[in-house]
Amino acid sequence: MNEIYKRIIDNHEPLLDELEEAVILHKLKKIEVQAQETIKDVDDLIDYWCKYYNIARERAEGSSRVYDLKVLRYMVFYCLRKNIVRNNLSLSVIGKLFNRNHATVIHGCKAVEDWIVFDTSLREDLMRALNEFGYRADWDSKEHKLSWIKAGELYEQ
């Protein structure tokens, strides 16, 4: 059997090379489309929070540690980590969006989780954002837990 396989490979090698190249090009095109969709979704999310807080994106991406800018960044970090918009971004890449490191992203997500338990205004801001991106959010006051639903699936914090 190995001999037959070897003969087929030897006789059709140029054709197989073309086929492999076509498969690779198809996969690359698919990855490119997904990357462009992810970039658009992430940009839409950042623009949403900048508009919501009435802060210029350049300012949000800057080095200032003003409280409002920090909250905006942390909300973006939280939404990206929770996949409110489609993405496969690592903690490091999410941090680089705002010239921060992965530890800041972890801290920011944890801070948002802590804040929404006690800060009803911030919780409502987050729930409005979820609504804007096609989710229905629900706050369980007994469990202190936020959950959201999209397309019949339940996503929990």
Side-chain angles (χ1 to χ4, degrees):
M1 192 66 152
N2 286 338
E3 220 173 282
I4 294 170
Y5 181 73
K6 184 176 177 350
R7 236 182 335 175
I8 291 171
I9 296 289
D10 290 342
N11 291 339
H12 301 291
E13 190 171 353
L15 180 62
L16 292 174
D17 287 343
E18 288 178 29
L19 182 59
E20 287 173 347
E21 184 178 340
V23 168
I24 290 170
L25 288 173
H26 175 73
K27 286 182 180 180
L28 286 174
K29 184 64 176 168
K30 189 174 178 181
I31 290 169
E32 181 183 19
V33 167
Q34 288 173 340
Q36 289 172 347
E37 289 172 355
T38 297
I39 290 168
K40 183 191 177 311
D41 290 346
V42 170
D43 279 343
D44 288 348
L45 179 72
I46 295 169
D47 290 343
Y48 170 83
W49 284 111
C50 287
K51 183 178 178 184
Y52 191 84
Y53 286 112
N54 197 26
I55 295 173
R57 186 166 176 165
E58 298 77 31
R59 229 177 123 220
E61 292 171 346
S63 60
S64 176
R65 294 182 180 185
V66 173
Y67 180 76
D68 289 344
L69 295 173
K70 180 174 80 168
V71 171
L72 182 154
R73 291 180 194 123
Y74 286 8
M75 295 299 261
V76 172
F77 296 162
Y78 181 84
C79 289
L80 289 174
R81 277 312 280 165
K82 297 295 184 176
N83 288 308
I84 301 306
V85 296
R86 174 186 32 213
N87 75 86
N88 294 335
L89 303 178
S90 67
L91 291 168
S92 295
V93 172
I94 292 171
K96 286 179 184 176
L97 292 171
F98 292 97
N99 299 312
R100 302 297 189 274
N101 65 34
H102 73 283
T104 304
V105 176
I106 294 168
H107 172 74
C109 292
K110 177 69 175 129
V112 170
E113 289 173 354
D114 292 343
W115 291 342
I116 63 174
V117 172
F118 302 104
D119 188 337
T120 56
S121 176
L122 192 68
R123 182 184 328 133
E124 288 171 2
D125 292 347
L126 181 56
M127 292 173 77
R128 273 190 214 95
L130 287 161
N131 186 49
E132 185 70 25
F133 287 94
Y135 295 89
R136 183 187 167 282
D138 185 48
W139 175 253
D140 184 339
S141 56
K142 288 182 182 178
E143 297 290 324
H144 299 290
K145 196 168 194 167
L146 180 65
S147 59
W148 51 93
I149 300 169
K150 184 174 188 174
E153 297 180 27
L154 180 64
Y155 296 85
E156 292 189 358
Q157 193 175 342

